Amino acid sequence: MAEPLTLRPSKRRRVSPSREAADGSNGNDTKIQKQFFKTAANWNLEQSYEERSRKGKKKDARKAAAEGGRLPARTAGGAWAVKEDDAASVASDSEWLEGEDKDDAEPEEAEEAAIEEPQIPEKEQIRRAQEELAKVATQLNEDPEEYPGAFKAMSRIGDSQIMAIKKICMVTQMTVYKDVIPGYRIRPSTEEAGEKLSKEVRRLRTYEQALVTGYQGYIKKLAHFAASPSADTSKRGQPISSIAITCACTLVNSVPHFNFRGELLRILVKKLSTRKVDSDFVKCREALETLFREDEEGNASMEAVSLLSKMMKAKEYRVDESVLNTFLHLRLLGEFAGKASQDRTERPSDGFNGKKLRQKKQFRTKRERKLMKEQKEAEKVMAHADAAVSHEEREKMQSETLKMVFATYFRVLKERVPHLMGAVLEGLAQYAHLINQDFFGDLLEALKQLIRYSEMPEEDDEDQPMADEDDEEDVVRDTNRESLLCTVTAFALLEGQDAHNARTDLHLDLSHFITHLYRGLLPLSVNPDLELGAKSLHLSDPSDDSGGSTRRDSKINVQTTTVLLMRCLSGVLLPPWNIRSVPPLRLAAFTKQLMSVALQLPEKSCQAMLGLLGEVVHTHGRKVNALWNTEERKMDGTFKPLAETVEGSNPFATTIWEGELLKKHYCPKVREELKAMEKELKNL
């Protein structure tokens, strides 16, 4: 049996200090305790806690929690924080990424959040934008003065990155502005700082300021988008540049009186400066033509003509000729009664040498003068309220416009731009009755140069540095039509004016035009395009290797070559009463030549030619009667139809025998015209 295990008791430690140490420590503890109670009364525990630094902001944390749908919780450090959720939205992620410097987020998680796409699909965003635009547009249509901030709201919707929303917003803004723009031009307010205004006036001026500001921003956007390339990034629909140009054209024709008209016209003129004719080009050209036709005041037309003339001069007239033809749609072509040149104008109200004629003073009593003065003041106030332009102001603007048109035409004539010559001659032929006499000499000399150029052979024509080498396509000129237009313009200059004095003072000689017209009668009679206008359709020649039409559909004058020929012959053979009589030799030469030409002309042209000869016989019958009488024929030479001059043809040495052949013409109307002419001869 084992003996029991006895454990030795552990040694106890001495906890209490020794007597010597206890005596020393009691004195120190007493001092510390007294110091503690002495300073504790001055402590401010709440203030020290308030001054402690925080690791996060309570408001930001609560805001983030409200957006995420979770409540914040206090951390161990005393800050408010929200537990992160894996299903956080992209918007909150983007805000969280913006505060990356303040938050301790990992960069990898930030990159993954930036790559994620928005949850709202594009169609839903477009639908919401349409609803917002419809709401804003409805408010503006109902009471625009009540919602002056709606213009800025519409512009803010158009700042979207989605192209479809930009297009919809652009068209919506155009429609709204077209409806809410007033019928007057808004001018800057001139009231002083301390001036008191009524509630209605202040409300109206606030609305007008918001309208002008929003409209200015909209015009800038149109100019920016119209200048963008046509190749749009969108896969469907029109390019945004085309929509911007359409909106600008609509506003130019709808509200030409409102502010920022010059910016809209610059958009159109910039598009017309290109040589590429597309649908947008046609829209801008037609918008300007409509503006010229409907502009009653003349201010918008003058501004548009100024921009066009500057643009063409800067481009060295390398523009499409349809741009130059827009000048033929100006209202002053039929309304303006004065005369103008490239330097100055003369109005019918001016008297002799530009001085106003003094009107005879009418006697009125003192009471009548007082009533007339009051009536004039009332009319002045009403005209200012209606923003009406007086007759004198409109006439002044039209005269300035006419000077710019003639300056452009004359520059083109001097530089002889090939593809613009037809358009310039057509314009001068229509504006001839508005040209000043001081402009006659230079203009007729330029027309003579053009006729000499048309008479050059083709080999010499190729040596002329007329065409621009950079043009994309060859310029095909109709020299016969251009020479006829030169003759029409030359004789139209003398119609309706004091032509006898002008020709005497300026020594104008039109024999060059008459001789050229006489020599060109026989070639014109066999021209296959005689009864086709400049805008008529021409089928391609099957035997032509080029395989295309030789004429472009670009002229604005739809008169056929026959009509131009009739106008030239009327100016030569049937001049107005204020021009001296026609020599018998010229009448006889043209009458014989025209009867020979009538044998080759088509049906309608032949009928028109015989009608003209009937008027010549009626007016100058005694001078040309000898051509139908064999016994009165001169026996001093032979008739020369191919002579270089009219006088050298010797027309009285022959007789008119072509009438016997025309009596058997297949067209009954031609036979009737011939019978009427012969009946007129018998009555002499």
Side-chain angles (χ1 to χ4, degrees), residues 541-599:
D541 189 0
S543 60
D544 189 5
D545 296 336
S546 61
S549 176
T550 59
R551 192 180 304 181
R552 296 175 58 194
D553 181 17
S554 55
K555 301 287 193 305
I556 192 171
N557 195 343
V558 295
Q559 293 179 345
T560 62
T561 308
T562 300
V563 175
L564 293 177
L565 180 60
M566 294 297 108
R567 292 179 61 186
C568 294
L569 294 172
S570 299
V572 174
L573 304 177
L574 300 171
W577 61 272
N578 56 354
I579 299 179
R580 61 186 179 182
S581 60
V582 185
L585 191 63
R586 183 188 301 172
L587 285 170
F590 270 93
T591 303
K592 172 60 180 176
Q593 197 80 322
L594 292 178
M595 288 297 294
S596 301
V597 164
L599 297 176

Side-chain angles (χ1 to χ4, degrees), residues 623-670:
K623 297 180 181 179
V624 298
N625 189 21
L627 295 176
W628 276 269
N629 193 347
T630 308
E631 297 178 356
E632 297 183 6
R633 185 178 63 178
K634 293 183 179 181
M635 306 302 294
D636 57 350
T638 59
F639 173 62
K640 299 177 182 179
L642 301 179
E644 292 294 328
T645 60
V646 178
E647 293 77 11
S649 61
N650 194 14
F652 288 106
T654 184
T655 57
I656 292 180
W657 49 266
E658 291 84 0
E660 299 300 322
L661 295 179
L662 291 174
K663 287 181 181 179
K664 300 180 180 180
H665 199 277
Y666 69 92
C667 180
K669 293 184 178 180
V670 173

Side-chain angles (χ1 to χ4, degrees), residues 61-192:
R62 290 182 177 178
K63 182 178 179 181
E67 294 178 356
R70 300 176 65 84
L71 295 176
R74 188 185 296 273
T75 60
W80 291 87
V82 182
K83 185 178 180 181
E84 296 180 358
D85 191 5
D86 297 332
S89 61
V90 176
S92 60
D93 287 342
S94 60
E95 295 177 359
W96 173 61
L97 289 175
E98 290 176 359
E100 186 178 4
D101 297 336
K102 298 181 180 180
D103 298 335
D104 296 329
E106 296 181 0
E108 296 180 358
E109 295 179 0
E111 293 178 1
E112 293 177 0
I115 296 174
E116 292 181 1
E117 297 180 356
Q119 292 183 354
I120 303 177
E122 183 175 338
K123 291 184 178 180
E124 180 65 20
Q125 296 185 38
I126 295 174
R127 187 187 65 80
R128 292 183 180 179
Q130 289 176 343
E131 292 179 354
E132 293 179 6
L133 288 172
K135 180 180 178 182
V136 174
T138 304
Q139 292 175 350
L140 288 173
N141 286 331
E142 291 177 354
D143 190 2
E145 296 183 6
E146 186 69 24
Y147 305 97
F151 301 106
K152 189 178 294 184
M154 282 196 303
S155 177
R156 198 178 298 113
I157 296 173
D159 294 338
S160 174
Q161 299 297 327
I162 301 176
M163 190 61 63
I165 296 179
K166 290 183 178 180
K167 296 178 182 179
I168 296 171
C169 185
M170 192 182 304
V171 177
T172 305
Q173 284 180 287
M174 181 268 296
T175 307
V176 170
Y177 283 122
K178 188 176 67 172
D179 293 339
V180 303
I181 283 178
Y184 56 89
R185 184 183 180 90
I186 298 177
R187 297 176 177 85
S189 58
T190 57
E191 71 273 2
E192 298 179 359

Side-chain angles (χ1 to χ4, degrees), residues 147-291:
Y147 305 97
F151 301 106
K152 189 178 294 184
M154 282 196 303
S155 177
R156 198 178 298 113
I157 296 173
D159 294 338
S160 174
Q161 299 297 327
I162 301 176
M163 190 61 63
I165 296 179
K166 290 183 178 180
K167 296 178 182 179
I168 296 171
C169 185
M170 192 182 304
V171 177
T172 305
Q173 284 180 287
M174 181 268 296
T175 307
V176 170
Y177 283 122
K178 188 176 67 172
D179 293 339
V180 303
I181 283 178
Y184 56 89
R185 184 183 180 90
I186 298 177
R187 297 176 177 85
S189 58
T190 57
E191 71 273 2
E192 298 179 359
E195 185 179 357
K196 294 182 179 180
L197 300 175
S198 62
K199 184 178 180 181
E200 290 77 9
V201 174
R202 190 175 300 278
R203 178 188 178 191
L204 178 61
R205 291 189 178 178
T206 303
Y207 162 71
E208 289 180 347
Q209 183 67 26
L211 173 61
V212 172
T213 305
Y215 189 65
Q216 182 183 17
Y218 177 63
I219 298 301
K220 290 181 179 179
K221 284 187 178 180
L222 287 183
H224 172 70
F225 289 128
S228 61
S230 299
D232 198 354
T233 55
S234 59
K235 297 181 180 179
R236 58 184 181 275
Q238 286 184 331
I240 194 169
S241 59
S242 178
I243 296 176
I245 290 175
T246 303
C247 294
C249 294
T250 305
L251 291 174
V252 164
N253 293 329
S254 301
V255 287
H257 62 279
F258 198 61
N259 305 53
F260 309 109
R261 177 183 58 213
E263 284 74 7
L264 287 174
L265 291 175
R266 288 185 184 91
I267 296 175
L268 273 62
V269 172
K270 186 175 182 180
K271 182 61 181 178
L272 293 177
S273 63
T274 60
R275 292 293 300 273
K276 181 181 178 182
V277 180
D278 52 4
S279 59
D280 295 337
F281 184 94
V282 175
K283 287 178 187 176
C284 296
R285 187 191 65 203
E286 292 178 350
L288 285 181
E289 292 174 358
T290 305
L291 177 67

